[in-house]
Amino acid sequence: MNTLWLVLLLVFFNGVSSDVTRHDVSRRPEVVNIGALICFDSNIGKVAKVAINAAVDDVNSNPTILNGTTLKVAMQDTKTSDFLGIVEAFRFMENDTVAIIGPQFSVTAHVISHIANELQVPLLSFAATDSTLAPLQFPYFVRTTQSDAYQMAAVAELVGYYEWRDVIVIYVDDDFGRNGIAALGDKLAEKRCKISYKAPLSPKASKENITNVLIKVSYQESRILILHIYASWGLDVLDAAKNLQMMETEYVWIATDWLTTILDTDSSTLSQKTDNIQGVLTLRIYIPDSDLKTRLVSNWSNLVGKVGNDSFGLNTYGFYAYDSVWILARAIESFFNQKGNFSFSNDSSLAELRGGNMNLDAMSISNGGQLLLQSIRDVDTTGVTGPLAFNSDMDLVDPAYEVINVIGTGSRTVGYWSNSSSLSILRPKEHQGKRPNGFNSSQQLYSVIWPGQGTTRPRGWGFPNNGKKLRIGVPNRISYHEFVSRSEGPDAFTGYCIDVFTAALEQLQYGVPYKFVSHGDGRTNPSTIDLLRLITTGDFDAVVGDITITTSRAKIVDFTQPYIESGLVVVAPIRKLNSSAWAFLRPFTPMMWCVTGVFFLIVGAVVWILERKTNEDFRGLPRKQVVTIMWFSFSTLFFAHRERTGSTLARFVLIIWLFVVLVLSSSYIASLTSILTVEQLSSPVKGIESLATSNEPIGFLKGSFSENYLTDELNIHRSRLVPLNSQEECDEALKKGPRGGVAAIVAERAYMEVFLSTRCEYNIVGQEFTKMGWGFAFPRDSPLAIDMSTAILKLSENGILQRFHDKWLMRSACSSEGPKQVVDLLQIKSFWGLFLLSGLACFAALLLYLIKMMHQFSKRYVGSTQSGGLRSFLAFLNEKEEASPSQSKRRRTERASNRIAQDGAVNYLDVRV
């Protein structure tokens, strides 16, 4: 608001009239005039009036300050009127006032701070807590009490400490209330909490208006009520809440420091209103104990007696009003020490208003105002409230609050909040000093007595008191009635999901009014995503049924803990494989048999090449050598080869091949054993991989998430997908097969287990390729979803979920036929690493052998006139190489050992005979 515009408004009212002459004040004047704007009849104002007068007397009687200059205060009663506050501010401006203590109200401060900026008169407010009164916009406004930003941080910390998520705020609808709630919203967001409902009240709220607002509040879900209003009618709100039964169990009331202001000022309030404020949490600005504080408190009764017959206590704002005078006195002393001079000059912008009855041109600019403001900012002393110094944001340092719990006819401090240590049972200064005995660092607050005399932390929400029941959406399925089905009655449902939901509700510590609402036309299964969207639009308060928890769905609703696991599986037709004369061929695929046989021959040929030059066993006629190669190759399968290998390379190849044979034979025996002992099932579909790479049609249950999964995750074209509604349609589609039906069905395991329980000609092939579950859906941030999740866990721990599963889903007609196994032939892809290893060994051995032979061949023909061509090289390879004496001796020993072993075996048999 522009200052000149405010002045023009005042021209239209008969107000202040005075003849004031301009004059300069000496550097050390005898008297310095200051003003005070307060409401004498308010709890804060009447205490501040006494405190300010006491502080002025103490300053003037203290010879160590102001050096003989007398501080003179002129007080004006604003009578809770912002307009009167503005008028009285103009009066002070006419009378060469160097500074003003006040205003008391934030709304008034917003207006006259513009005037103070223009006329350079500092305002020292001990009660205007609005955090938007910032020094950037209002440099001449100095808050000498704590900002609401800190108080709202303390409130948000309380909400976060008790793990509440939603709160309702009831506030006065003016700058003070709105800005305070805005600060609270920011602090709550930092704790991942939020304001779910705002209930503004008029600054002149009547009891009828208060009651109407509270009735609307009672219709909300949250039971955490933040009360940020004026002390003058704050108790009326609690009275109305008591009459509306909103001070009972499950409600939480957190009042800002207006309530402690009342309780400190009038101690009889507790005894008179004890039933209306029981269990309320409130805050009080923390003022540490000190000699200065003790002295003021002990003299308070005498100070109050000097001004009248009324008796009232000293509240925190009285302390800050007292310190405001001392801050100003210290600043004036510093001002004089810096050779400052209080003088005033006319404001040129007001010259055109000269001559009116209001004498607005009499207001003048304080020439020393800027230096005095800087002196105020530089104050660093100690007062009755503790350290008196300002931070960079012009807020008092070391903000702290007491957390007060109203109990019986008294109150109890349950903890403290400070900007540095958050919530704690320790006083702020004790965090740096010695801690009391028995201190527990994990304990942040003492126990609280809540409204209704409860000691258990309220859950923070409840069902609205409007008589409405929760609307629970239930899909009207045309198949798989084991999970959800309609029964007799307009809104009656039965099934596995319904039983789990009702049993979970019974686990809660409170009643939940609800009714089931059917969704679907009864001809097709309803879309799950459409059902969940009805929660976001407010048509349903929850959805119960076969709802799979997926990432996309969790973005629009909150799910409970899964109550059944149900990943995607592939179901396909199967046929029994009866035992036959050729059952021994089943373990390997045809390709596996071919590759294995080829490698037997390759290894035999490689060993023959490596050994034939030096080993007599691998020489002879071509027919004999072919037989030797084949005999040696296939005899390795039984480790019964009689030919001895002498070369290192041949032994290297053979040891690798024997390892391969060991693995192949072990796998073959295990698979053949399974085939001969367990009934085998065969299916052309091996799993989701083979199904996805084929071009055959795939069935899915209409309304489930499997359709989107197949198209989005597996990139299967939508033209291949066939929607199916019922078990009968699934059965018919599988019987038709790829021509006219489907090759397989991809659906959730829970559905397929029910489907397969009476259809033995189908089975699950492959592995379950997703891990998901079903849950109940609620609106985002619904506290009921959290409680239901806990209830589901209890049902699981107690075995109740398993009993429901056995009741509805264990109806298998195929279970008596014994165990079955879908045959899975051993394929080349499972052993290609072994074949690769053997192949590399053969290749490396042949390469090294060739290099060795070429080296020997080149040595033979060095300097020789004979040709060294390919024919000569092949002839060289075919030549028999004489064994060394050591090799001959070793071979003779081996042959002798073999003969002895054979003779011993014959003699043993003769003896047995």
Side-chain angles (χ1 to χ4, degrees):
M1 183 183 292
N2 185 274
T3 302
L4 183 58
W5 175 248
L6 290 173
V7 174
L8 291 175
L9 285 176
L10 291 174
V11 172
F12 294 95
F13 298 90
N14 290 326
V16 183
S17 176
S18 63
D19 291 326
V20 181
T21 58
R22 305 273 68 75
H23 62 277
D24 291 340
V25 183
S26 62
R27 290 188 177 180
R28 280 284 184 172
E30 293 183 358
V31 177
V32 173
N33 294 321
I34 63 172
L37 292 174
I38 54 179
C39 175
F40 292 170
D41 292 333
S42 65
N43 286 305
I44 295 177
K46 63 184 180 182
V47 172
K49 179 180 179 182
V50 176
I52 291 173
N53 284 325
V56 170
D57 292 340
D58 291 345
V59 168
N60 290 333
S61 61
N62 192 327
T64 63
I65 190 170
L66 294 182
N67 198 19
T69 299
T70 301
L71 205 60
K72 183 178 179 181
V73 60
M75 295 188 185
Q76 298 293 341
D77 185 6
T78 61
K79 300 184 183 297
T80 69
S81 170
D82 297 326
F83 175 76
L84 287 180
I86 297 170
V87 172
E88 299 301 340
F90 275 102
R91 285 188 177 182
F92 286 134
M93 303 307 177
E94 290 180 343
N95 293 316
D96 297 343
T97 301
V98 300
I100 297 176
I101 306 295
Q104 178 179 327
F105 301 107
S106 296
V107 176
T108 308
H110 271 281
V111 178
I112 66 174
S113 290
H114 291 282
I115 305 172
N117 289 348
E118 185 71 21
L119 302 182
Q120 300 182 9
V121 176
L123 303 176
L124 285 77
S125 179
F126 57 90
T129 56
D130 185 356
S131 59
T132 63
L133 291 165
L136 291 178
Q137 183 181 7
F138 305 116
Y140 281 85
F141 175 84
V142 180
R143 184 184 293 106
T144 55
T145 187
Q146 299 296 348
S147 169
D148 271 344
Y150 297 117
Q151 180 170 211
M152 296 308 170
V155 172
E157 195 73 34
L158 281 173
V159 174
Y161 172 75
Y162 288 111
E163 299 179 351
W164 298 314
R165 289 293 172 260
D166 296 342
V167 303
I168 295 175
V169 292
I170 304 172
Y171 62 99
V172 59
D173 192 15
D174 60 11
D175 291 340
F176 164 72
R178 288 190 298 268
N179 295 332
I181 296 308
L184 175 62
D186 293 339
K187 296 299 181 181
L188 287 173
E190 296 176 4
K191 304 291 181 182
R192 296 187 177 183
C193 308
K194 69 180 186 341
I195 298 173
S196 60
Y197 184 75
K198 295 180 178 180
L201 288 168
S202 169
K204 305 292 184 182
S206 64
K207 292 185 177 180
E208 181 181 1
N209 174 240
I210 292 172
T211 300
N212 292 335
V213 168
L214 289 182
I215 290 175
K216 295 178 181 179
V217 168
S218 67
Y219 292 163
Q220 306 305 311
E221 188 177 80
S222 176
R223 291 294 184 263
I224 311 302
L225 309 180
I226 312 297
L227 202 52
H228 185 55
I229 52 180
Y230 289 126
S232 56
W233 46 271
L235 292 178
D236 293 340
V237 176
L238 296 178
D239 291 344
K242 178 66 176 180
N243 294 333
L244 293 174
Q245 297 183 346
M246 296 176 66
M247 298 298 296
E248 306 298 328
T249 305
E250 87 176 8
Y251 278 95
V252 174
W253 289 85
I254 302 177
T256 51
D257 62 354
W258 63 266
L259 182 55
T260 52
T261 299
I262 297 175
L263 300 180
D264 293 339
T265 306
D266 186 1
S267 58
S268 63
T269 303
L270 272 173
S271 59
Q272 296 173 358
K273 302 286 186 178
T274 182
D275 293 336
N276 298 346
I277 57 178
Q278 285 300 298
V280 175
L281 284 180
T282 184
L283 299 176
R284 176 194 289 134
I285 300 176
Y286 173 69
I287 298 176
D289 295 331
S290 64
D291 293 339
L292 293 175
K293 176 183 175 182
T294 302
R295 189 181 306 117
L296 180 60
V297 171
S298 61
N299 293 333
W300 184 251
S301 298
N302 296 331
L303 295 174
V304 172
K306 294 179 181 179
V307 297
N309 296 325
D310 292 339
S311 176
F312 47 84
L314 176 59
N315 56 47
T316 53
Y317 291 103
F319 288 112
Y320 280 107
Y322 182 90
D323 276 348
S324 297
V325 175
W326 275 96
I327 290 174
L328 182 56
R330 297 290 185 187
I332 293 173
E333 175 69 17
S334 175
F335 175 84
F336 287 147
N337 292 338
Q338 298 176 70
K339 310 302 181 184
N341 180 26
F342 287 123
S343 62
F344 299 84
S345 59
N346 293 328
D347 189 347
S348 59
S349 62
L350 300 178
E352 61 186 33
L353 300 177
R354 182 174 299 168
N357 293 331
M358 296 184 62
N359 293 324
L360 295 177
D361 59 313
M363 293 184 298
S364 55
I365 297 174
S366 175
N367 297 324
Q370 188 170 357
L371 179 59
L372 179 59
L373 176 63
Q374 188 58 47
S375 299
I376 294 173
R377 292 179 172 180
D378 293 339
V379 167
D380 188 359
T381 185
T382 301
V384 295
T385 59
L388 298 178
F390 299 95
N391 58 23
S392 58
D393 296 327
M394 285 303 294
D395 289 322
L396 288 175
V397 297
D398 300 334
Y401 285 84
E402 296 180 65
V403 182
I404 307 295
N405 182 205
V406 180
I407 305 172
T409 58
S411 61
R412 173 179 177 236
T413 299
V414 296
Y416 301 87
W417 177 91
S418 68
N419 199 35
S420 58
S421 60
S422 189
L423 291 175
S424 175
I425 58 175
L426 295 179
R427 298 174 187 267
K429 291 300 181 181
E430 291 179 347
H431 279 277
Q432 293 80 25
K434 182 179 179 181
R435 301 188 175 187
N437 294 331
F439 170 69
N440 183 0
S441 59
S442 64
Q443 186 176 7
Q444 293 179 284
L445 292 177
Y446 292 112
S447 60
V448 173
I449 304 298
W450 304 99
Q453 303 299 316
T455 57
T456 303
R457 177 191 69 88
R459 64 177 183 267
W461 64 277
F463 297 100
N465 297 329
N466 52 12
K468 294 183 179 179
K469 296 181 178 180
L470 294 182
R471 292 172 54 85
I472 311 297
V474 181
N476 186 13
R477 297 192 59 89
I478 64 171
S479 61
Y480 297 101
H481 292 156
E482 292 84 354
F483 299 107
V484 176
S485 65
R486 298 201 63 164
S487 60
E488 297 181 1
D491 298 318
F493 289 86
T494 60
Y496 173 75
C497 301
I498 302 299
D499 279 2
V500 173
F501 179 75
T502 54
L505 290 180
E506 292 174 359
Q507 295 290 322
L508 302 180
Q509 301 298 320
Y510 48 89
V512 178
Y514 70 94
K515 66 176 181 178
F516 290 126
V517 180
S518 176
H519 176 74
D521 56 12
R523 294 187 295 272
T524 60
N525 291 326
S527 170
T528 301
I529 192 65
D530 293 340
L531 186 60
L532 295 179
R533 286 198 180 102
L534 292 177
I535 295 179
T536 63
T537 59
D539 293 284
F540 289 148
D541 299 303
V543 168
V544 172
D546 47 343
I547 310 298
T548 304
I549 303 172
T550 65
T551 303
S552 59
R553 295 173 180 176
K555 292 179 179 179
I556 60 175
V557 296
D558 277 354
F559 285 99
T560 62
Q561 172 83 10
Y563 57 87
I564 186 174
E565 293 184 358
S566 184
L568 289 179
V569 295
V570 178
V571 171
I574 57 172
R575 63 184 179 88
K576 297 180 181 179
L577 293 178
N578 298 321
S579 181
S580 67
W582 303 102
F584 68 91
L585 295 176
R586 289 184 187 175
F588 287 170
T589 62
M591 177 60 70
M592 183 67 181
W593 280 117
C594 293
V595 172
T596 304
V598 169
F599 260 85
F600 270 108
L601 297 176
I602 290 175
V603 171
V606 170
V607 173
W608 174 78
I609 293 173
L610 297 175
E611 285 288 317
R612 70 178 305 276
K613 194 171 179 63
T614 59
N615 195 333
E616 189 65 31
D617 293 338
F618 291 89
R619 299 186 65 83
L621 296 175
R623 184 176 63 181
K624 176 185 176 183
Q625 294 182 41
V626 171
V627 172
T628 299
I629 291 174
M630 297 189 65
W631 163 257
F632 180 84
S633 299
F634 290 101
S635 64
T636 58
L637 179 62
F638 310 102
F639 305 96
H641 50 283
R642 68 183 181 183
E643 292 78 11
R644 302 296 178 180
T645 54
S647 68
T648 303
L649 292 177
R651 290 181 175 182
F652 169 70
V653 171
L654 190 58
I655 195 67
I656 297 296
W657 175 243
L658 290 177
F659 173 72
V660 174
V661 170
L662 175 64
V663 175
L664 290 177
S665 61
S666 300
S667 302
Y668 174 85
I669 293 172
S671 180
L672 182 61
T673 302
S674 176
I675 289 173
L676 297 178
T677 56
V678 180
E679 181 182 350
Q680 298 296 305
L681 306 175
S682 177
S683 172
V685 179
K686 303 304 179 184
I688 189 61
E689 294 84 2
S690 63
L691 189 62
T693 55
S694 68
N695 292 319
E696 296 177 338
I698 304 172
F700 70 93
L701 296 183
K702 187 175 182 181
S704 70
F705 83 101
S706 55
E707 178 184 11
N708 291 333
Y709 184 88
L710 293 173
T711 56
D712 298 341
E713 301 297 331
L714 301 182
N715 297 319
I716 297 176
H717 197 273
R718 198 172 292 271
S719 61
R720 293 178 55 193
L721 303 183
V722 179
L724 304 170
N725 277 300
S726 64
Q727 299 182 47
E728 291 73 19
E729 290 185 13
C730 293
D731 188 19
E732 183 180 355
L734 287 174
K735 286 180 178 179
K736 290 181 178 179
R739 296 181 180 180
V742 297
I745 295 175
V746 175
E748 295 164 72
R749 177 178 287 274
Y751 295 129
M752 293 298 97
E753 286 180 349
V754 174
F755 175 73
L756 296 174
S757 64
T758 56
R759 294 170 176 84
C760 305
E761 64 271 26
Y762 313 117
N763 207 339
I764 296 174
V765 295
Q767 300 296 320
E768 183 177 332
F769 55 93
T770 63
K771 293 294 182 181
M772 295 181 177
W774 292 356
F776 304 128
F778 291 89
R780 295 283 291 176
D781 300 324
S782 172
L784 185 56
I786 299 174
D787 289 352
M788 287 292 286
S789 293
T790 304
I792 291 172
L793 289 175
K794 291 180 180 179
L795 294 178
S796 178
E797 294 170 356
N798 298 336
I800 299 177
L801 283 184
Q802 186 61 44
R803 289 202 295 271
F804 289 151
H805 183 276
D806 297 343
K807 172 185 175 182
W808 292 98
L809 308 181
M810 294 294 290
R811 299 179 180 179
S812 177
C814 303
S815 59
S816 61
E817 299 185 7
K820 301 180 179 65
Q821 179 178 343
V822 177
V823 64
D824 192 6
L825 302 183
L826 300 176
Q827 303 180 26
I828 188 66
K829 66 179 181 179
S830 301
F831 300 96
W832 71 267
L834 290 173
F835 289 121
L836 176 63
L837 179 63
S838 181
L840 291 176
C842 293
F843 176 77
L846 287 175
L847 181 62
L848 293 175
Y849 178 75
L850 181 62
I851 294 173
K852 176 184 177 182
M853 291 299 100
M854 292 179 65
H855 177 68
Q856 293 179 0
F857 178 74
S858 63
K859 287 177 63 177
R860 171 179 290 190
Y861 288 95
V862 171
S864 175
T865 58
Q866 296 182 0
S867 172
L870 177 61
R871 182 176 296 178
S872 299
F873 180 68
L874 293 177
F876 172 75
L877 291 178
N878 194 41
E879 292 178 358
K880 184 178 184 301
E881 180 180 324
E882 294 297 332
S884 63
S886 61
Q887 291 177 332
S888 299
K889 182 179 180 180
R890 184 181 66 192
R891 289 176 181 172
R892 288 194 298 269
T893 304
E894 290 175 351
R895 290 193 184 100
S897 299
N898 291 337
R899 285 196 298 269
I900 293 172
Q902 293 174 359
D903 293 343
V906 172
N907 294 334
Y908 176 75
L909 291 174
D910 292 341
V911 172
R912 296 284 292 177
V913 173

